Amino acid sequence: MPEGDFEMSNNGKRIRLWVSYDGTNYHGWQVQNNGITIESELNRALTELYRQEIKVIGASRTDAGVHALGNVAIFDVNSPIPAEKVCYALNARLPEDIRVTRSEEVPRDWHPRKCESRKTYEYRIYLGEILPPVKRLYCHHVYRPLDVEAMQRAAAILVGEHDFKSFCQENAQVESTVRTIYSIELTRQGNVPGGEELAIRVTGGGFLYNMVRIIVGTLLEVGFGRWTPENVRRILEAKDRSAAGPTAPAKGLTLIQYEFAGEERKTE
Amino acid sequence: MPEGDFEMSNNGKRIRLWVSYDGTNYHGWQVQNNGITIESELNRALTELYRQEIKVIGASRTDAGVHALGNVAIFDVNSPIPAEKVCYALNARLPEDIRVTRSEEVPRDWHPRKCESRKTYEYRIYLGEILPPVKRLYCHHVYRPLDVEAMQRAAAILVGEHDFKSFCQENAQVESTVRTIYSIELTRQGNVPGGEELAIRVTGGGFLYNMVRIIVGTLLEVGFGRWTPENVRRILEAKDRSAAGPTAPAKGLTLIQYEFAGEERKTE
């Protein structure tokens, strides 16, 4: 059947995409007036594929420079193209720094931001005097020594259900700033080519705007010895963005995994 | 002392640079008529710094797309700038995908290609159906299953002193094609974000043109089950480039370490 000949019907389906990207060359996820975004590229490729205007809804609207191995998006369409084949057709129309790793049909009422989920971010820090060029787009560079053990103790204080108002960009419009973090794992990786790296993996039920980057910026202050883990408890209690550390740079952050309640599937 | 005021004398010194780069945007190491290279950028930055024409001599003339954590170059200069400070002055004049990680004075007769050395290359292969965009410039993508154990047995056959004529680009002009490989280590890395990777580390006393990439291309044929480890022994004996496997893509290759005889220092 030629590509333009799909039969249209009223019983359209909802398709979920798992999206992996290098955020370096994009103005983040969300469609903007000026600048290409992950969302605008997906919309363009889908509109080309189906020859009708398609707009996706994304699970996480990542910032400019943030990477993903497993972000999620949905769209609705009337089309006989099997849902599982959509990823291949899209990859042929997407630039090589965006890949759809899987596509599948989901119930018409399924929505990635309205169902229970766990997501995992990884923040990578390169420890050493000079940042190797092959790491420059994927690691934040810290050349001062870090007390990783103190950072670990500080991280443990943030695990659990808390009001993370201090860890949210100030002008974010949200009803509640209470969120649950399931785990924060710090791993020193000494055997990577080029030197030592610190990977900080944060898993939670949901995150406020810039929350992971502000957590990392705060843990770094502890690592530098400027704050103690006990300070981090007081930062939580302050419910004030200015109490926490700076927002760590976007390029060190990768959204690595989404898990949805009741589903076996996950990204990695 | 202002930058243009260095006293010149006849007793110039030889300075060694340790150079780390992302090869993606360069036409390889060696100066070419068309296209920017790592060597041409180093020459330009040094010439700017010293206000006299400087040309480096490189240890390894890596191909376009090949990366390095620790390539080495030397140059001679008459200048009061302390050798140890040259790296900082150069990095201020180099693009961010080339970094000089260390600079130091060496004896006037020291030459990186005329002294005994060990170098280590790492070749990275991403195993999985779709290559995550964050890996696209640093990994070769293999989506067929690999028999890594058979590859390991084949690699063991290549370790030692052999005539590697079958593993050398045909038109390379060299006196002898005998080289020594000290070790080939294959490591599956399952815990990397995004999926499984296979790292192949090859350490040797010296390498022929494209030798590591042809070794990897040959080991992949074994991994696919097309050849057995015993075939690899016959490929060595054939002394014929056409007997070996294809040259694996440049982007998966990184020169990670140089060690010079009698020196403690190494890159990593």
Side-chain angles (χ1 to χ4, degrees), chain B residues 117-136:
Chain B
S117 68
R118 291 163 75 97
K119 42 185 185 169
T120 301
Y121 279 98
E122 184 173 85
Y123 198 93
R124 296 191 76 82
I125 297 168
Y126 181 80
L127 309 169
E129 202 193 351
I130 292 173
L131 179 66
V134 293
K135 312 271 186 192
R136 76 193 186 287

Side-chain angles (χ1 to χ4, degrees), chain B residues 78-227:
Chain B
N78 263 325
S79 161
I81 304 178
E84 293 70 30
K85 304 283 185 199
V86 171
C87 56
Y88 305 108
L90 276 181
N91 285 337
R93 289 165 172 83
L94 286 167
E96 65 169 11
D97 51 5
I98 304 176
R99 293 289 96 176
V100 176
T101 59
R102 195 163 61 225
S103 53
E104 62 213 344
E105 195 171 344
V106 287
R108 273 302 293 244
D109 62 350
W110 192 87
H111 189 294
R113 293 204 300 268
K114 292 174 184 162
C115 66
E116 214 185 309
S117 68
R118 291 163 75 97
K119 42 185 185 169
T120 301
Y121 279 98
E122 184 173 85
Y123 198 93
R124 296 191 76 82
I125 297 168
Y126 181 80
L127 309 169
E129 202 193 351
I130 292 173
L131 179 66
V134 293
K135 312 271 186 192
R136 76 193 186 287
L137 306 172
Y138 312 101
C139 288
H140 174 38
H141 181 207
V142 168
Y143 39 85
R144 283 193 274 166
L146 284 180
D147 183 344
V148 175
E149 212 245 304
M151 292 170 75
Q152 240 144 4
R153 280 183 282 125
I157 291 167
L158 299 174
V159 173
E161 187 184 85
H162 301 286
D163 186 337
F164 284 99
K165 193 158 191 284
S166 297
F167 296 87
C168 177
Q169 182 93 337
E170 285 220 64
N171 46 10
Q173 291 176 354
V174 282
E175 285 176 28
S176 161
T177 47
V178 174
R179 294 290 184 278
T180 302
I181 292 181
Y182 300 118
S183 64
I184 305 180
E185 288 169 23
L186 284 78
T187 316
R188 269 187 122 100
Q189 298 175 329
N191 195 26
V192 292
E196 204 172 30
E197 287 177 30
L198 177 66
I200 303 176
R201 283 203 182 193
V202 187
T203 299
F207 293 94
L208 299 162
Y209 187 50
N210 276 350
M211 180 167 151
V212 178
R213 290 165 59 193
I214 299 169
I215 287 175
V216 171
T218 303
L219 293 179
L220 280 173
E221 294 297 316
V222 175
F224 296 145
R226 204 183 128 202
W227 290 339

Side-chain angles (χ1 to χ4, degrees), chain A residues 160 193 197:
Chain A
E197 287 177 31

